[in-house]
Amino acid sequence: MPNRLAQATSPYLLQHADNPVDWWPWETDAFEEARRRDVPVFLSVGYSACHWCHVMAHESFEDDDTAEYMNEHFVSVKVDREERPDVDAVYMEAVQAATGQGGWPMSVFMTPDGEPFYFGTYFPPESRHGMPSFRQVLEGVRNAWTSRRDEVGEVAGKITRDLAQRELSTGDTGTPTEETQTLALLQLTRDIDSASGWFKGDTKFPPSMVIEFLLRHHARAGSVAALEMAEGLCGAMARSSLYDQVGGGFHRYVLTPSAGGPLVPHFEKMLYDNALLCRVYTHLWRATGADFARRVALETADFMVRELRTAEGGFASALDADSDDGTGQHVEGAYYVWTPEQLREVLGERDAAFAAEYFGVTEEGTFEAGASVLRLPRTGVADADRIADVRARLLAARETRPHPARDDKAVAAWNGLAIAALAETGACFDRPDLVERATEAADLLVRVHMGDSARLARTSKDGRSGGHAGVLEDYGDVAEGFLALAAVTGEGVWLEFAGFLLDIVLQHFTGEGGQLYDTADDAEQLIRRPQDPTDNAAPAGWTAAAGALLSYAAHTGSEAHRAAAEEALGVVKALGPRVPRFIGWGLAVAEALLDGPREVAVAGPVGGALHRTALLGTAPGAVVAAGETGGAEFPLLADRPMADGTPTAYVCRRFVCDAPTTDAQELARRLGAR
């Protein structure tokens, strides 16, 4: 019979609704039940596109004997980390502190008061490679709970106290300086592998936020090294198997095989990666005019619209790595890999040979079972039309394969990132359809996630709010998306909505000295209030909020919002020179602060030559307001008329302005537009 997860809106929780494990969602009643029965709580955290989460589910949570033991001796709680990032962050911090590593699935045993005492990630069904079996872990925890309760309580109490004392303090560091940015760039040059263009390390995640910093630093300071590094990283990613060479869009990460050979991707596709990278490649094109950057930006945008857009106009969270390989077996990468024979079936002998050489498909295979991951082993393009034709035919053939499962929940923060990316990509490449898709996603966030108040819900599915409170990254990224949409469309309502959200940040997420917290002061209290200024797979909520606060202040002249942004950026001065790869978005926002940011008011038609030129500018974090209605839509337009009826642009810093101009070329010069 279905368990308590059957009513969830999370696709990940629904995947476990028919498990024989009597799962509970994260709720007070679960901990009350554990207290009533005097048993520990087993917390399992994962997400729908997590390969090893599925493996552990099949091996253990679908096993009747294992489930019977869990149901008798534990209260088992299942959490979607994407739906409850606060729960995930708090207990992952404990896992990493105790074991030195983390990952998903995350497995935590805790008291009915939520205090953790034993940790792990994936546990196999039988002991192997020095890892105990999951059944051994369950029995060990139960024995400790029944026979050594005092010891368990001591451990749980100490861990909880240690976590509570980890309050972040950056001290009175002040705002980032030119030296901060220079030292961060120097550290990044030490981490780069100049031969490959990638950062060093066997596991390679897309460094989207760092590339944004590099592009902004080049635009502001003229650093050739920063631009070369950004071009190298973007080129390496676009040529590798990280990028879906047939359908566009990026996989989660790639691994360097121990025996050498091409990089091997982990095939899940996440909305946040693709939104961030779509924007990165658009910005690279804006800076350089590189054809490959334009192609990748547009292909990634089209992938998001084609495969992640939901019926409600938002964007789904992810596509699984696994899919049916045609025999009923779920295999990682089955949807994306090709054999020479499969190429011949689709393309014929001549074009198959061409495609095999171009994409690196070999008879022995570069992945598993004789299949190859597609990449671009050569950079020259002999026949662009032929390549486009081959890609189109392979994509059409691939569409007939069983598709990877899709996590259909819309996460507010990630939709905010997608809105910013699609709005700017649509504006830069004259694709009004992409701007329209961005607007529809923004409408969903206002209608469903905000509802009748300015408080954001974290997720929705099928047009229904998931009910969980938004966290700081939701407020920061959605405000960022609304501000980008306001700049592109000239619709001031998006500026107004961003202001609503950022007022909530000031009121409920900000602590003493400008510190920011990941959860609101009136949110559910966990054993620790999570707080992390460093980037993970997406910008930290801390620096995402700082960036949006800074942009909103530039639009409105609000000293309160600017002061909050400057205080928040103190953490960048503290961490940027030491760990720039983990605070890339903070460094990018710092570039905007050092540049002003510039305020661009275009008194003239939305979509006109001056407005388009302003949007093509590379000045870091520049805010753009366009329209013919004076200050009715944007404060920047107040008292800034068209000169003699001719569209006119005003470029300012802290509301101190250069002479107005009616010349698009002059405006381009001032804003660093090609």
Side-chain angles (χ1 to χ4, degrees):
M1 293 179 60
N3 55 45
R4 293 172 183 84
L5 304 185
Q7 302 304 312
T9 56
S10 160
Y12 176 65
L13 298 189
L14 290 171
Q15 289 170 2
H16 294 81
D18 293 318
N19 288 172
V21 177
D22 187 18
W23 290 112
W24 291 69
W26 180 277
E27 59 182 28
T28 302
D29 288 351
F31 293 89
E32 290 296 333
E33 175 69 4
R35 196 171 287 112
R36 184 188 69 78
R37 290 174 49 198
D38 191 29
V39 296
V41 173
F42 168 61
L43 171 66
S44 176
V45 182
Y47 58 102
S48 70
C50 166
H51 173 74
W52 288 103
C53 299
H54 295 313
V55 171
M56 189 168 178
H58 294 320
E59 292 174 341
S60 296
F61 303 149
E62 295 173 9
D63 179 73
D64 289 332
D65 290 340
T66 302
E68 182 180 1
Y69 192 88
M70 293 172 67
N71 296 340
E72 181 178 356
H73 299 294
F74 300 89
V75 167
S76 299
V77 174
K78 176 63 74 171
V79 166
D80 181 344
R81 68 174 292 258
E82 297 171 350
E83 192 173 57
R84 290 300 304 265
D86 51 340
V87 172
D88 177 65
V90 166
Y91 290 101
M92 183 59 75
E93 188 174 13
V95 171
Q96 291 172 330
T99 68
Q101 60 186 11
W104 298 276
M106 175 168 63
S107 304
V108 180
F109 295 88
M110 61 181 74
T111 71
D113 293 323
E115 297 181 336
F117 60 86
Y118 189 80
F119 316 90
T121 52
Y122 163 78
F123 290 108
E126 296 90 20
S127 59
R128 64 173 81 119
H129 307 305
M131 296 174 62
S133 71
F134 185 52
R135 182 60 179 261
Q136 288 172 326
V137 170
L138 293 172
E139 291 173 350
V141 170
R142 180 200 175 238
N143 290 337
W145 182 259
T146 55
S147 62
R148 302 194 305 277
R149 181 74 61 85
D150 290 344
E151 181 182 333
V152 168
E154 276 184 35
V155 170
K158 182 178 186 306
I159 290 171
T160 302
R161 288 191 299 273
D162 288 346
L163 289 174
Q165 292 169 3
R166 292 186 173 204
E167 190 79 6
L168 179 68
S169 176
T170 60
D172 186 17
T173 56
T175 58
T177 63
E178 184 68 52
E179 182 183 23
T180 304
Q181 309 301 92
T182 301
L183 290 174
L185 177 63
L186 180 62
Q187 183 60 48
L188 290 172
T189 62
R190 295 174 180 146
D191 289 346
I192 204 78
D193 177 3
S194 58
S196 69
W198 292 92
F199 283 120
K200 297 170 184 174
D202 290 337
T203 304
K204 302 183 187 298
F205 291 88
S208 312
M209 293 75 77
V210 169
I211 299 173
E212 286 285 0
F213 158 61
L214 294 170
L215 291 171
R216 289 186 178 192
H217 187 67
H218 164 71
R220 184 186 62 82
S223 169
V224 174
L227 182 60
E228 288 178 346
M229 198 182 306
E231 289 179 302
L233 285 162
C234 287
M237 289 190 294
R239 290 190 302 272
S240 76
S241 57
L242 181 73
Y243 187 65
D244 180 354
Q245 302 294 342
V246 167
F250 289 85
H251 300 296
R252 184 67 197 93
Y253 60 85
V254 286
L255 296 168
T256 303
S258 57
L263 299 172
V264 175
H266 184 50
F267 290 93
E268 64 188 4
K269 282 183 169 181
M270 313 301 295
L271 174 60
Y272 52 74
D273 282 324
N274 285 283
L276 288 164
L277 288 165
C278 178
R279 202 177 187 193
V280 160
Y281 281 88
T282 295
H283 292 173
L284 177 63
W285 173 85
R286 196 169 61 179
T288 66
D291 287 340
F292 89 92
R294 180 184 189 278
R295 175 179 65 80
V296 171
L298 286 172
E299 288 176 355
T300 303
D302 287 337
F303 154 73
M304 287 193 289
V305 171
R306 183 181 69 245
E307 298 192 37
L308 294 179
R309 187 168 178 268
T310 68
E312 297 73 35
F315 290 90
S317 298
L319 298 179
D320 274 6
D322 303 0
S323 60
D324 190 325
D325 66 356
T327 69
Q329 298 294 315
H330 265 63
V331 177
E332 186 174 9
Y335 186 67
Y336 300 101
V337 298
W338 295 84
T339 64
E341 179 58 31
Q342 289 170 331
L343 292 182
R344 287 191 286 269
E345 289 174 2
V346 174
L347 302 174
E349 289 288 346
R350 183 170 171 273
D351 281 346
F354 169 79
E357 180 186 2
Y358 185 75
F359 290 121
V361 177
T362 65
E363 291 293 339
E364 61 274 15
T366 61
F367 180 54
E368 295 173 356
S372 294
V373 292
L374 304 192
R375 64 197 195 285
L376 303 184
R378 68 184 192 196
T379 57
V381 178
D383 188 339
D385 289 340
R386 187 179 185 189
I387 291 166
D389 174 67
V390 164
R391 276 196 171 110
R393 290 156 66 193
L394 291 177
L395 179 61
R398 199 175 74 178
E399 284 292 309
T400 66
R401 295 177 175 180
H403 284 228
R406 188 172 82 165
D407 184 331
D408 276 337
K409 72 175 179 294
V411 175
W414 306 348
N415 273 260
L417 296 174
I419 290 164
L422 293 174
E424 293 184 358
T425 301
C428 285
F429 301 122
D430 195 22
R431 285 280 303 272
D433 59 307
L434 297 180
V435 179
E436 188 175 347
R437 299 294 87 76
T439 303
E440 290 165 350
D443 285 337
L444 173 73
L445 293 180
V446 171
R447 187 176 70 254
V448 176
H449 289 248
M450 291 175 69
D452 296 329
S453 72
R455 300 304 286 268
L456 271 172
R458 170 70 175 173
T459 65
S460 69
K461 185 177 183 294
D462 301 328
R464 182 164 66 98
S465 168
H468 299 290
V471 296
L472 182 60
E473 72 162 341
D474 295 306
Y475 285 83
D477 288 336
V478 171
E480 175 84 12
F482 286 173
L483 290 167
L485 194 58
V488 168
T489 63
E491 296 176 2
V493 66
W494 301 116
L495 175 64
E496 186 177 352
F497 281 132
F500 291 157
L501 299 179
L502 294 171
D503 284 345
I504 298 296
V505 171
L506 296 181
Q507 294 165 17
H508 293 288
F509 289 86
T510 306
E512 294 182 6
Q515 292 190 53
L516 293 171
Y517 291 89
D518 293 334
T519 54
D521 55 7
D522 55 359
E524 177 188 355
Q525 291 188 359
L526 303 175
I527 59 171
R528 160 172 159 73
R529 190 177 179 190
Q531 181 186 45
D532 187 356
T534 57
D535 297 331
N536 196 307
W542 184 310
T543 53
L549 287 164
L550 184 64
S551 295
Y552 185 76
H555 266 292
T556 63
S558 168
E559 286 299 328
H561 291 81
R562 185 175 178 96
E566 290 180 349
E567 287 183 325
L569 289 175
V571 73
V572 179
K573 187 175 182 182
L575 299 180
R578 294 190 288 115
V579 287
R581 287 173 63 183
F582 298 97
I583 198 159
W585 189 250
L587 289 164
V589 175
E591 288 293 335
L593 179 69
L594 290 169
D595 197 61
R598 283 176 241 194
E599 305 130 10
V600 187
V602 177
V606 172
L610 286 180
H611 182 214
R612 177 171 169 76
T613 299
L615 295 174
L616 290 173
T618 58
V623 300
V624 177
E628 302 175 81
T629 57
E633 289 285 326
F634 293 95
L636 280 179
L637 292 173
D639 302 321
R640 288 181 174 137
M642 291 192 287
D644 298 324
T646 302
T648 305
Y650 301 79
V651 179
C652 314
R653 283 188 177 93
R654 300 299 306 270
F655 291 86
V656 176
C657 302
D658 297 336
T661 182
T662 60
D663 181 52
Q665 289 188 338
E666 172 59 20
L667 180 61
R669 185 191 65 78
R670 294 183 188 182
L671 298 178
R674 287 182 292 106

